[in-house]
Amino acid sequence: MVLLLGLQISRILRFTTGDVVREGKAVRLHLNGHQVDLPPRISALVGQRLELAEAAWQNNRSASTTPWLFPCSNPARPLSLQSMHIQLRKANLTGLAGRNTARLALATDVPASILAEVTGTSVHNAMRWATLAKRDWTDYIATRREPNA
């Protein structure tokens, strides 16, 4: 979801089982009042995570009132950001680079207001991503035309 939607890891860790809707093999994610269809491979992974989270919550209902999608060993809390970063580092993955790449790709395809709403960032931040995503090659062309010294 970091690479697909440019979401912050901390935001993903706060998802509950109620934020995920499964219809057959298709899975939708509730983001800021919108439902986002997930691609088939991501749907399968999120669907598996949903099954695990629901089973864990059923076993520990008395310990938690919130059915977290990513619960930690204490079912009353979601998995910690620090714990997730450690797991990502072990796999040689970084969330920031992937999130930035996803946001830049999204900024080329959607208006800044939609980018802000889907990713949960400010409109000002989304405007900066949109500015970065513009395909303005004039500076590059100007430097290429300068004679070599």
Side-chain angles (χ1 to χ4, degrees), residues 6 15 18 23 25 32 38-39 46 65 70 80-81 83 91 96 98 100-101 107 111 116 134 146 148-149:
F15 285 147
E23 293 176 2
K25 290 184 178 182
N32 300 325
L38 299 176
V46 172
T65 57
F70 297 98
S80 74
L81 183 59
S83 175
L96 183 61
N100 289 348
T101 302
K134 287 186 180 175
E146 293 178 7
N148 294 335

Side-chain angles (χ1 to χ4, degrees), residues 56-128:
W57 188 68
Q58 290 295 332
N59 292 334
N60 296 302
R61 254 187 194 187
S62 61
S64 176
T65 57
T66 305
W68 299 107
L69 189 59
F70 297 98
C72 71
S73 57
N74 176 354
R77 296 184 185 159
L79 191 62
S80 74
L81 183 59
Q82 183 179 11
S83 175
M84 180 56 79
H85 279 297
I86 289 169
Q87 291 178 34
L88 289 173
R89 267 186 259 140
K90 285 180 183 176
N92 291 324
L93 298 172
T94 59
L96 183 61
R99 186 193 79 203
N100 289 348
T101 302
R103 285 189 181 179
L104 189 60
L106 285 170
T108 62
D109 294 334
V110 298
S113 59
I114 294 173
L115 178 65
E117 196 162 325
V118 169
T119 61
T121 188
S122 67
V123 174
H124 178 71
N125 190 14
M127 292 289 290
R128 288 189 299 174

